[in-house]
């Protein structure tokens, strides 16, 4: 008759159960827990068995659960209770497991991973030459992805890449022209035109933009001077001074 584990347990859980019976893995966790306090080995009440700590941490990692979910799932699942060696005893709460995680730390986790890889190589499961890792996406601040902003990012990245190629290849072929500065001028020009349109339009601003040629250095200089003066004559200069209408 088949063993009850083979009938009730998932196949991967059976494999992990056999792997975690390794005495060296248990010793690694035991040494880490004994360093939590000065007299952890000789004083105080009896703590949670080391193999229970190891198996709870392994289950959390394999399932990708939080400590709260581990507590809830193990409490309600007979298979997980048997896998973690808790049986009919009380399941440790999430706060206790958080303290275990802090006690183990990255160094102990690294030692456990190394031991697992060694066991895999001995059993000819893995060669140990490559390591596959999983990553987690984290939020970060980015600028709002407008069309002009994305286009500017593309211009900046392409220019940087082409400069690297030019340094490696030398002065060969068509000379690279840096367009990033012209993009900054164009952005400022768009802002000024937007202000002019809100005031009812400005023929001078429209003529200033239509006369600008990206390949003409003189027209670029004239455009910069135009917007430096306020873009739309006395009205723009008057508003820029902070004494506009309204």
């Amino acid at each position: 008759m088949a063993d009850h584990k083979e009938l009730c347990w998932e196949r991967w859980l059976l494999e992990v159960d056999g792997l975690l019976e390794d005495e060296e893995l248990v010793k690694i966790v035991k040494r880490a827990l004994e360093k939590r306090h000065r007299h952890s080995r000789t004083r105080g009440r009896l703590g949670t068995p080391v193999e229970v700590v190891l198996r709870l941490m392994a289950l959390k990692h394999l399932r990708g659960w939080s400590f709260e979910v581990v507590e809830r799932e193990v409490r309600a699942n007979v298979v997980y209770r048997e896998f973690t060696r808790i049986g009919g005893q009380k399941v440790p709460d999430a706060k206790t497991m958080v303290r275990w995680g802090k006690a183990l730390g990255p160094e102990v986790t690294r030692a456990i991973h190394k031991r697992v890889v060694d066991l895999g190589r001995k059993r000819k499961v893995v060669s140990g030459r490559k390591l596959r890792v999983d990553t987690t996406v984290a939020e970060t601040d980015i600028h709002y992805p407008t069309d002009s902003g994305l286009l500017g990012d593309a211009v900046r990245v392409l220019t940087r890449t082409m400069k690297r190629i030019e340094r490696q290849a030398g002065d060969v072929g068509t000379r690279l022209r840096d367009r990033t500065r012209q993009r900054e001028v164009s952005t400022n020009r768009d802002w000024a035109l937007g202000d002019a349109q809100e005031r009812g339009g400005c023929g001078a601003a429209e003529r200033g933009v239509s006369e600008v040629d990206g390949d003409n250095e003189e027209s670029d200089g004239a455009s910069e001077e135009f917007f430096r003066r306020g873009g739309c004559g006395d009205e723009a200069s008057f508003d820029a001074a902070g004494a506009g209408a309204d």
Side-chain angles (χ1 to χ4, degrees), residues 175-194:
R175 185 177 180 182
L176 174 67
R177 299 195 61 175
D178 189 348
R179 303 287 183 175
T180 56
R181 178 177 174 276
Q182 294 181 2
R183 171 187 169 273
E184 295 175 358
V185 173
S186 177
T187 302
N188 295 333
R189 181 185 309 143
D190 292 341
W191 289 344
L193 278 177

Side-chain angles (χ1 to χ4, degrees), residues 3-210:
D3 184 64
H4 75 283
K5 290 186 177 180
E6 296 181 359
L7 295 175
C8 301
W9 290 29
E10 298 178 65
R11 183 174 180 82
W12 69 267
L13 201 60
L14 290 171
E15 297 291 340
V16 175
D17 180 67
L19 181 66
L20 296 180
E21 290 180 353
D22 180 66
E23 294 183 0
E24 184 60 30
L25 287 175
V26 176
K27 290 180 180 179
I28 292 173
V29 177
K30 182 180 179 181
R31 288 193 293 266
L33 295 178
E34 289 176 347
K35 296 179 180 179
R36 293 178 61 186
H37 303 288
R38 183 176 180 181
H39 301 289
S40 294
R41 297 180 59 184
T42 57
R43 298 181 184 178
R45 63 180 176 85
L46 295 177
T48 306
V50 177
E51 62 178 358
V52 174
V53 177
L54 173 62
R55 288 170 177 269
L56 283 171
M57 294 295 102
L59 183 62
K60 175 188 182 300
H61 175 74
L62 292 170
R63 285 299 195 183
W65 290 337
S66 65
F67 289 111
E68 290 79 7
V69 175
V70 173
E71 178 186 357
R72 184 180 68 245
E73 292 294 331
V74 175
R75 186 190 303 119
N77 194 304
V78 177
V79 173
Y80 290 151
R81 279 180 171 272
E82 188 173 1
F83 170 76
T84 56
R85 302 295 191 267
I86 291 178
Q89 301 298 319
K90 180 181 178 180
V91 178
D93 57 55
K95 292 183 179 179
T96 301
M97 287 187 275
V98 169
R99 290 194 291 268
W100 292 343
K102 292 181 178 179
L104 298 182
E107 294 183 0
V108 178
T109 303
R110 190 179 300 110
I112 293 175
H113 287 173
K114 185 177 183 301
R115 178 58 182 172
V116 171
V117 173
D118 292 340
L119 292 174
R121 295 180 63 181
K122 290 180 180 179
R123 299 182 183 185
K124 299 186 182 301
V125 178
V126 295
S127 60
R129 293 194 302 268
K130 296 181 180 180
L131 175 65
R132 179 179 297 175
V133 297
D134 191 12
T135 59
T136 302
V137 177
E139 293 185 2
T140 185
D141 295 330
I142 62 172
H143 63 80
Y144 192 80
T146 60
D147 292 343
S148 60
L150 294 174
L151 179 60
D153 292 341
V155 171
R156 186 181 67 255
V157 173
L158 288 174
T159 301
R160 184 174 63 238
T161 303
M162 293 302 297
K163 284 183 177 180
R164 293 176 180 173
I165 296 176
E166 190 176 50
R167 285 195 296 266
Q168 295 292 331
D171 190 7
V172 178
T174 305
R175 185 177 180 182
L176 174 67
R177 299 195 61 175
D178 189 348
R179 303 287 183 175
T180 56
R181 178 177 174 276
Q182 294 181 2
R183 171 187 169 273
E184 295 175 358
V185 173
S186 177
T187 302
N188 295 333
R189 181 185 309 143
D190 292 341
W191 289 344
L193 278 177
D195 295 339
Q197 291 174 356
E198 291 180 0
R199 292 193 298 269
C202 177
E206 295 174 358
R207 289 194 302 275
V209 174
S210 63

